Amino acid sequence: MTDTAHRRQDTVAAYTGARDQDDKALLKAAAAIMRELGEAKAHIYWLDMLGSALVGYAALAGAILVPFGWLTVALGLVSTLALYRALLFIHELTHLHRDALPGFRTAWNLLVGIPMLTPSFMYEDGHTIHHSRKRYGTPEDPEYLPLALMKPWSLPAFVLIALLAPIGLVIRYGVLAPLGLLIPPLRRMNWERFSTLAINPDFRRRPPAPADKRRFVLLETGAAIWGVIVIASVFWIGWRPLAVALAVFSAVGVLNQLRTLVAHLWENEGEPMSVTAQYLDTVNVPPPGPLAALWAPVGLRYHALHHLLPSLPYHALGEAHRRLAAHEHARETYGRAHYRGMMPLLGKIGGSTMRRRVGAGGDAVRAPMPEETAA
């Protein structure tokens, strides 16, 4: 069997024919749950987002003001986890109906998106493509790369590049956005290349839809003004506040990149996939493991379930998981996307990258799996 055929077999081994066919019992059960649990509860969203932002900024201010030491590190850690949680509401904004939570999108952008130089338009549109039935896992998907099939060094590079993301965002909004007003080609490049939270380097963003253009321009303008203020702040309050903030935001970026790395199995080579195959290429880390609530908050520990029910509010995912796990006809396929935690997943994807070796003639060959060696 060829290397490509082996890898394709690995991708769909959990469900025969999943690439082209769907488990209708699973999809039917999921649809019924959506009808029952699909209402977004405003008080949960507002209290969670506002509380996370308040704790995050208060801890960040403490880390800036106290003398450098262990207390600085502890406050920085609290700030990282709280702001990370607040930031990940950008994912919910993409799936919520515009009228579901009046004012929530604007409040999030003013309190979190613009201050962290990640306004919501950076996730809108692109993430919708990621959930497209025909474009998930294809070269058109901005949020997909076959990472499990790439070189081993690509994984640490994928994570470490997140360390530089805050500096890149400061440059994107504080320098490139203002210059783009004077240099149209630069503005066009800025939009196409640096306005989407994408991991696919070949993705180019199209112009916004007319209905979104004014809102996107306002958000970009607000982020650009804040970017200029951030750069100018070093001249009147010194480097320490900016350095501490960048360190916290870099930690947020690395944590999110690690979560992204284990959010999928990353084994698809570009072919369209059925909904079931997309589900099985995605990851749930359900309870009882407690740490997943920290590194995959706002419902993202149920990422595979989210791909079955993209519009289900994050606070309903736990109940939806319990129902599907107990469903007589859906639970077998549903359970095949469950994993124990981040470390086993990192080991799995790392092992996948190590299965390719270079043969004597220079051709890539597949290293045998343990069960194949035993046979």
Side-chain angles (χ1 to χ4, degrees):
M1 184 178 291
T2 66
D3 179 44
T4 299
H6 268 296
R7 284 183 277 142
R8 184 172 297 146
Q9 184 183 55
D10 290 343
T11 303
V12 298
Y15 180 76
T16 303
R19 183 178 297 279
D20 303 312
Q21 301 176 16
D22 277 313
D23 184 325
K24 295 181 180 179
L26 176 62
L27 299 187
K28 184 177 180 180
I33 288 172
M34 182 65 204
R35 289 192 293 269
E36 295 179 25
L37 304 177
E39 181 182 358
K41 297 181 179 179
H43 68 283
I44 295 179
Y45 275 86
W46 280 101
L47 289 174
D48 195 344
M49 187 272 288
L50 292 175
S52 298
L54 177 62
V55 171
Y57 289 132
L60 178 59
I64 292 171
L65 295 173
V66 302
F68 183 78
W70 287 109
L71 182 57
T72 306
V73 175
L75 289 169
L77 177 60
V78 172
S79 180
T80 295
L81 293 174
L83 290 179
Y84 175 54
R85 184 178 184 89
L87 181 66
L88 285 185
F89 275 92
I90 194 173
H91 182 258
E92 289 294 302
L93 290 178
T94 304
H95 293 286
L96 282 172
H97 189 276
R98 296 275 177 87
D99 301 326
L101 298 175
F104 187 82
R105 187 184 307 272
T106 300
W108 182 89
N109 275 296
L110 291 174
L111 294 173
V112 181
I114 290 176
M116 297 188 73
L117 294 178
T118 314
S120 61
F121 73 79
M122 296 191 74
Y123 209 56
E124 298 174 83
D125 293 350
H127 190 64
T128 302
I129 294 174
H130 179 60
H131 279 275
S132 168
R133 164 66 175 82
K134 295 182 179 180
R135 292 187 284 181
Y136 170 91
T138 70
E140 297 181 55
D141 188 344
E143 298 180 23
Y144 199 97
L145 281 176
L147 293 169
L149 312 179
M150 297 172 73
K151 301 293 185 182
W153 58 262
S154 64
L155 300 186
F158 178 78
V159 174
L160 291 176
I161 198 172
L163 284 171
L164 303 177
I167 296 175
L169 289 171
V170 170
I171 295 173
R172 185 259 184 261
Y173 287 106
V175 178
L176 298 183
L179 287 177
L181 297 176
L182 305 174
I183 310 172
L186 177 61
R187 173 166 177 76
R188 188 161 50 250
M189 182 193 74
N190 212 21
W191 178 260
E192 292 177 352
R193 300 287 300 274
F194 308 127
S195 295
T196 305
L197 295 177
I199 66 172
N200 179 356
D202 295 327
F203 179 77
R204 300 293 182 270
R205 187 168 188 169
R206 297 176 181 177
D212 293 325
K213 186 172 182 179
R214 180 176 180 274
R215 180 168 60 88
F216 286 3
V217 168
L218 289 174
L219 289 174
E220 185 172 21
T221 301
I225 293 171
W226 180 248
V228 171
I229 292 173
V230 167
I231 294 172
S233 69
V234 300
F235 296 104
W236 74 80
I237 60 175
W239 283 97
R240 178 180 167 89
L242 180 58
V244 173
L246 287 177
V248 167
F249 295 164
S250 289
V252 170
V254 169
L255 187 56
N256 185 60
Q257 200 79 327
L258 284 169
R259 179 197 61 80
T260 301
L261 186 58
V262 299
H264 297 281
L265 301 185
W266 309 107
E267 294 178 340
N268 191 51
E269 295 181 282
E271 304 95 332
M273 305 168 71
S274 69
V275 175
T276 303
Q278 293 178 27
Y279 171 77
L280 293 173
D281 187 48
T282 313
V283 168
N284 286 329
V285 187
L291 292 180
L294 295 178
W295 61 261
V298 195
L300 286 171
R301 69 184 305 164
Y302 301 108
H303 194 198
L305 174 55
H306 166 71
H307 270 259
L308 282 181
L309 298 169
S311 298
L312 190 69
Y314 80 100
H315 54 70
L317 287 169
E319 176 59 25
H321 164 73
R322 287 187 286 272
R323 293 188 186 187
L324 285 174
H327 195 282
E328 180 180 0
H329 303 295
R331 62 188 179 191
E332 181 178 355
T333 300
Y334 180 67
R336 297 184 190 277
H338 299 351
Y339 296 86
R340 290 183 290 115
M342 179 183 286
M343 296 310 296
L345 284 163
L346 289 174
K348 177 179 175 61
I349 189 172
S352 295
T353 66
M354 296 296 292
R355 291 177 201 167
R356 293 175 64 88
R357 298 291 187 269
V358 177
D363 296 327
V365 298
R366 178 178 177 271
M369 297 295 288
E371 60 271 21
E372 296 169 342
T373 304

